[in-house]
Amino acid sequence: MSTIIPIGPYHPLQEEPEFFRLHVEGEKVVHLDIELGYNHRGIEKLAESKSWDQVVFLVERICGICSTSHPAAAINCMEDLGAIVAPERAQYIRAIICELERIHSHLLWVGLAGHFLGYNTVWMWSWKYREIVCDVLEKVTGNRQSYAMFKAGGVRRDLDQDDIPWIMESMDKMKPVVDLFRGAVMDDPVLHARLKGVGCLSAEDAINYAVVGPTARASGIRIDVRKDDPYFAYPWVDFDIVVYEEGDVYSKAMCRIDELYQSVSIIEQCLKKMKPGPIDLNIKELPPGEGIGRAEAPRGEVFHYTLSDGSNFPARYKVRAPSYTNILSNEKAVIGETVADAALILAAVDPCYCCTERLTVIDEENNKSVLGQADLLKLSQAKTETLMKRLSL
Amino acid sequence: MSLKIQALTRSIWVYHLATGSCNNCDIEILDCITPRFDLERFGIQLVGSPCHADALLVTGNMTTKNIPRVKAVYEQVPKPNVIIAIGTCALDHGMFDGSYTSRVKVDDILPVDFYVPGCPPKPEGMIAAVAKLIAQLRQ
């Protein structure tokens, strides 16, 4: 007989409240049900009532952490529709904002993974260093989140040329930080024991579940929209796709940490190559037709589609976000693992699990709560402690 | 000032309740307790259970599917408590006004005491709100 553990749907500090039902037999997870839709705000329908300019602001609010990936896909979509090519300087500014967002998002994930493992120091440290990126974003765009920088045919604000040395300096500060986290993950025997071989997603499953972004790249699938379908300034800069073969939580963590180096390097190259020039084409209207846009969010490929009837509003707007496919892959990754690892594996695809999770174990027979969220977190943290003792640290 | 209110203003434990937000306000709330802002200096702490909370931080535009859950959470919070609505969505749906899933506002469901506007409000703004709230409660 299996016991059901409902996780969610009400997770404090979670972007999209998902509901997981873990079916467990003893310690082993045997089945997983996923229910979505608590955060459904009807954005696609709302987009039909917004003008093209407003759509960019609307899709920005799909996800606060990926708050520049959705606008990026949206303007790619509109520029595809109108066959518009934005000025070079605008393309560089867009790439810089996208990469800054990737750094802040990955650092955020590293911190939360640390929290799940019982390493709260990692959480505090990574969020402390994330502030460097937030400061740069605030200086460049005027806001810490939701940057409102993009529009079809250009960007809304120019990057002040006088700020560039300071941004370069901030990026230099990021390098030792990434070294620190990479070292912390690579050298810690406890983390190796906790993360290696846990929550494996094979390359075959990765393809079958159509996972994207770091989740796919950690399973050995070489996909990255920035290389496969270059947009913005990505064709003009030099960077690598980080691929790991194992597909476990450790690979996912390393994949994200290594991507931080690439992002810092891309920003530096963009800042060096950027030349003064126009930033906006002042597009007034878009022609009738269809357009598609893709962008590589920190979590994977964002896809937008639009149908225009030549009016000021989209006739149809369609969004596909990366978490949607990534979350479903949990079904494969979590089965056969222990309950203590479940919270970590569910978080490993980066579905924006922030902070505390409410979990309750319910006995199927008398419908009584037997194991709470705090207990599960304690279980996970206790496992780390036991490992520490066993490895005599 | 009653003993209960006096106790409430000492070290506020907050429970964070996302009612269909985009996570912007939510990560800024988390940001408040990390080293740059470090609200734990003042005894303000995020708790995992509404039963331990003195204050509810409500974000998001209250989607229909969330309403019963929000009510269930509110019933568990010990009274007296304070409810702070954070972000433009929690105030009046902001960008999502007119959506088929956002028919009610946060203050139709919960007795909101404080509003912090912004998309998202800065951590400084939230801290200022909490400081003003404590000052007001003490009067």
Side-chain angles (χ1 to χ4, degrees):
Chain A
M1 196 211 77
S2 64
T3 308
I4 299 175
I5 309 180
I7 303 182
Y10 232 115
H11 298 227
L13 305 157
Q14 193 184 348
E15 155 219 16
E16 298 158 318
E18 304 101 343
F19 188 19
F20 295 103
R21 253 186 233 100
L22 286 180
H23 295 249
V24 296
E25 268 169 21
E27 273 260 294
K28 289 266 178 273
V29 178
V30 289
H31 184 64
L32 175 70
D33 280 340
I34 302 165
E35 187 187 335
L36 300 170
Y38 288 90
N39 214 18
H40 183 78
R41 283 156 288 162
I43 286 175
E44 288 178 10
K45 191 72 192 164
L46 270 177
E48 291 167 16
S49 65
K50 308 266 186 234
S51 72
W52 291 109
D53 259 1
Q54 289 171 329
V55 165
V56 182
F57 293 120
L58 181 70
V59 296
E60 190 161 41
R61 278 149 187 85
I62 291 174
C63 168
I65 303 177
C66 305
S67 61
T68 209
S69 312
H70 284 285
I75 55 168
N76 278 340
C77 183
M78 290 171 200
E79 290 180 357
D80 178 42
L81 170 68
I84 302 157
V85 180
E88 198 181 302
R89 189 176 171 83
Q91 303 281 25
Y92 278 119
I93 294 174
R94 287 169 176 182
I96 290 169
I97 306 287
C98 283
E99 291 311 309
L100 282 171
E101 183 205 58
R102 198 179 314 279
I103 298 175
H104 109 74
S105 174
H106 282 350
L107 278 179
L108 194 142
W109 181 84
V110 168
L112 294 173
H115 172 65
F116 276 103
L117 286 166
Y119 283 111
N120 277 336
T121 325
V122 174
W123 178 27
M124 290 297 162
W125 277 53
S126 72
W127 280 61
K128 175 180 158 192
Y129 292 119
R130 194 180 142 263
E131 295 289 339
I132 300 174
V133 186
C134 285
D135 283 346
V136 175
L137 283 169
E138 191 172 0
K139 182 101 175 169
V140 174
T141 71
N143 207 0
R144 289 161 53 90
Q145 325 282 344
S146 288
Y147 318 113
M149 279 289 273
F150 295 174
K151 62 184 285 193
V155 288
R156 286 181 195 276
R157 283 164 182 251
D158 199 358
L159 194 90
D160 195 346
Q161 210 66 25
D162 300 338
D163 285 342
I164 290 180
W166 175 76
I167 300 172
M168 283 291 213
E169 216 174 276
S170 303
M171 286 303 113
D172 283 340
K173 275 190 227 158
M174 286 311 296
K175 284 177 199 160
V177 173
V178 188
D179 288 338
L180 177 104
F181 285 113
R182 194 181 154 82
V185 176
M186 294 228 344
D187 299 341
D188 193 327
V190 178
L191 282 187
H192 279 234
R194 266 317 296 275
L195 304 180
K196 276 200 171 165
V198 170
C200 281
L201 187 71
S202 67
E204 197 195 335
D205 285 335
I207 291 171
N208 288 345
Y209 278 83
V211 297
V212 284
T215 315
R217 291 198 283 275
S219 296
I221 316 279
R222 185 173 286 274
I223 50 163
D224 191 325
V225 184
R226 292 176 293 173
K227 284 275 191 204
D228 301 339
D229 181 11
Y231 57 100
F232 298 171
Y234 293 116
W236 310 325
V237 293
D238 188 32
F239 67 99
D240 294 325
I241 305 178
V242 182
V243 177
Y244 278 81
E245 298 297 328
E246 292 79 11
D248 51 7
V249 181
Y250 182 80
S251 308
K252 285 169 188 159
M254 288 309 290
C255 185
R256 292 204 172 91
I257 291 172
D258 284 353
E259 277 182 14
L260 292 175
Y261 287 111
Q262 303 296 334
S263 295
V264 171
S265 146
I266 292 172
I267 293 169
E268 285 178 344
Q269 290 177 50
C270 287
L271 287 170
K272 277 183 197 140
K273 286 186 178 174
M274 229 164 58
K275 290 184 189 72
I279 56 158
D280 191 6
L281 294 175
N282 284 321
I283 302 293
K284 294 289 178 209
E285 50 193 35
L286 291 170
E290 287 179 308
I292 60 156
R294 309 206 277 177
E296 183 75 12
R299 286 157 191 78
E301 178 190 331
V302 175
F303 181 90
H304 285 213
Y305 161 86
T306 190
L307 175 70
S308 165
D309 53 7
S311 73
N312 210 6
F313 307 92
R316 175 79 177 96
Y317 205 86
K318 169 83 188 124
V319 176
R320 206 198 102 194
S323 282
Y324 198 80
T325 50
N326 287 350
I327 286 169
L328 294 177
S329 78
N330 281 333
E331 206 172 75
K332 276 279 173 222
V334 87
I335 287 170
E337 301 290 346
T338 60
V339 184
D341 289 329
L344 181 70
I345 296 165
L346 296 181
V349 301
D350 196 0
C352 314
Y353 269 51
C354 302
C355 197
T356 38
E357 210 122 318
R358 299 194 304 115
L359 307 107
T360 339
V361 177
I362 292 182
D363 195 333
E364 234 181 7
E365 272 173 357
N366 48 16
N367 218 6
K368 210 173 75 185
S369 176
V370 279
L371 193 60
Q373 176 268 330
D375 301 306
L376 269 176
L377 207 63
K378 221 183 274 166
L379 260 179
S380 176
Q381 292 173 353
K383 189 172 174 184
T384 307
E385 256 170 49
T386 334
L387 275 168
M388 274 179 172
K389 274 184 205 138
R390 202 180 299 156
L391 295 161
S392 61
L393 284 169
Chain B
M1 186 163 57
S2 78
L3 186 65
K4 276 182 179 170
I5 297 287
Q6 198 180 12
L8 188 64
T9 59
R10 288 294 166 164
S11 90
I12 296 186
W13 282 14
V14 294
Y15 180 77
H16 166 249
L17 191 61
T19 63
S21 61
C22 71
N23 220 21
N24 249 340
C25 304
D26 316 65
I27 53 177
E28 292 294 59
I29 290 172
L30 260 192
D31 226 51
C32 292
I33 59 162
T34 53
R36 163 81 62 96
F37 301 100
D38 199 9
L39 270 186
E40 289 191 4
R41 283 176 299 167
F42 310 115
I44 297 173
Q45 204 184 354
L46 273 179
V47 289
S49 165
C51 306
H52 302 157
D54 301 311
L56 275 185
L57 302 182
V58 189
T59 62
N61 58 342
M62 194 63 79
T63 57
T64 317
K65 200 170 178 178
N66 276 321
I67 294 170
R69 310 268 175 183
V70 171
K71 284 180 178 162
V73 168
Y74 177 66
E75 278 162 16
Q76 293 174 45
V77 184
K79 319 285 180 302
N81 58 11
V82 282
I83 295 175
I84 310 172
I86 288 184
T88 307
C89 294
L91 267 64
D92 63 350
H93 295 159
M95 197 86 194
F96 304 109
D97 195 20
S99 164
Y100 52 84
T101 60
S102 343
R103 307 315 304 175
V104 292
K105 290 175 189 165
V106 170
D107 50 9
D108 294 336
I109 307 278
L110 302 173
V112 180
D113 298 300
F114 250 71
Y115 298 91
V116 188
C119 187
K122 288 189 177 185
E124 293 95 324
M126 298 185 198
I127 294 167
V130 174
K132 280 181 186 170
L133 174 79
I134 292 175
Q136 206 186 51
L137 280 176
R138 286 204 175 138
Q139 274 170 16

